[in-house]
Amino acid sequence: MSFLSVVLLAAGESKRMGKLKQLLPVDGKPLVKFSLEKYLESICDEVVLVVGCEADKVSAGVEQLSGRHVTVFNANYSQGMGTSISKGLEAVSDRASGIMIALADMPCISTKFINSLIYFWRGDISCIAVPYCGEKRGNPVIFPKSLFGELALLNGVGGGFSVIENNSRLINRFEVKETDICFDVDTPQDWTLFNRVREV
């Protein structure tokens, strides 16, 4: 069975939110913990949580969790998401055949979806497994081991999308109906929408 690592990004400064979104409360727990739990409950083999801005507070939000995860600090978090990806990759197991890049601010992503994406990728571990809802590309994304070197060189904004675009021949589209793959909590309006939907 192919070993899959998850790099869960939670290092951002939350500038558009106006306050640290990693600590926003969901079901009585910080958003970062709410998200991390879903990946720990999945069939992935390990999770690397990358923290940065107010790292002590974010790390404290998940300190009660045990299991297949480690927390690493990205001192260069202000330079962009790419630095968090490359930092997370440093902590990934040598056994990894693939790496899932995931965002801690996507609370609608379910463990069921995560598992479905992993099963899909394991059908061809040489591909980039990218979820699509219609023509909208979403997250998380799984990259094969052949691209670890390119991911390790990321150092700015834009995350892993530049790697996807540079290797479009490797894309294997995972077609879904859930718009959740395109929804992240970036602004107060996003946060209000998320809570309104959960109340329905």
Side-chain angles (χ1 to χ4, degrees):
M1 187 66 70
S2 301
F3 190 102
L4 180 74
S5 303
V6 174
V7 172
L8 183 62
L9 307 179
E13 298 174 272
S14 307
K15 290 180 178 179
R16 284 184 284 172
M17 181 62 69
K19 56 185 174 181
L20 200 65
K21 60 185 174 183
Q22 295 93 318
L23 301 181
L24 292 172
V26 185
D27 293 347
K29 64 190 74 172
L31 174 59
V32 62
K33 183 177 182 180
F34 181 79
S35 296
L36 177 58
E37 285 177 336
K38 295 181 182 182
Y39 290 91
L40 292 177
E41 291 166 0
S42 78
I43 60 172
C44 76
D45 296 288
E46 68 174 358
V47 182
V48 176
L49 176 67
V50 184
V51 298
C53 185
E54 299 193 45
D56 290 344
K57 293 180 181 179
V58 178
S59 298
V62 300
E63 65 183 7
Q64 300 303 319
L65 289 179
S66 60
R68 301 158 292 131
H69 85 281
V70 296
T71 301
V72 298
F73 173 63
N74 174 23
N76 299 315
Y77 64 87
S78 63
Q79 296 177 23
M81 189 183 297
T83 63
S84 289
I85 293 174
S86 58
K87 187 65 180 181
L89 192 57
E90 293 177 5
V92 165
S93 169
D94 292 339
R95 298 168 56 197
S97 300
I99 179 175
M100 177 185 287
I101 305 298
L103 308 178
D105 64 356
M106 297 186 72
C108 295
I109 298 294
S110 67
T111 298
K112 180 180 178 181
F113 171 80
I114 296 165
N115 287 341
S116 296
L117 181 60
I118 294 172
Y119 282 125
F120 175 80
W121 170 75
R122 282 180 172 160
D124 180 0
I125 65 170
S126 67
C127 76
I128 309 173
V130 185
Y132 276 84
C133 181
E135 290 306 308
K136 290 186 177 181
R137 183 172 62 188
N139 285 293
V141 172
I142 302 179
F143 296 87
K145 192 177 187 71
S146 63
L147 296 180
F148 283 12
E150 195 168 337
L151 290 167
L153 296 176
L154 292 173
N155 60 9
V157 298
F161 284 130
S162 63
V163 179
I164 296 174
E165 291 167 358
N166 292 340
N167 299 276
S168 58
R169 69 190 185 285
L170 298 180
I171 293 175
N172 197 2
R173 292 171 61 119
F174 182 48
E175 305 286 353
V176 299
K177 295 182 179 179
E178 299 92 337
T179 57
D180 297 343
I181 66 166
C182 302
F183 178 75
D184 54 359
V185 177
D186 281 333
T187 66
Q189 292 75 23
D190 295 334
W191 181 240
T192 298
L193 177 60
F194 167 67
N195 285 286
R196 183 181 301 138
V197 170
R198 283 171 59 83
E199 293 172 357
V200 175

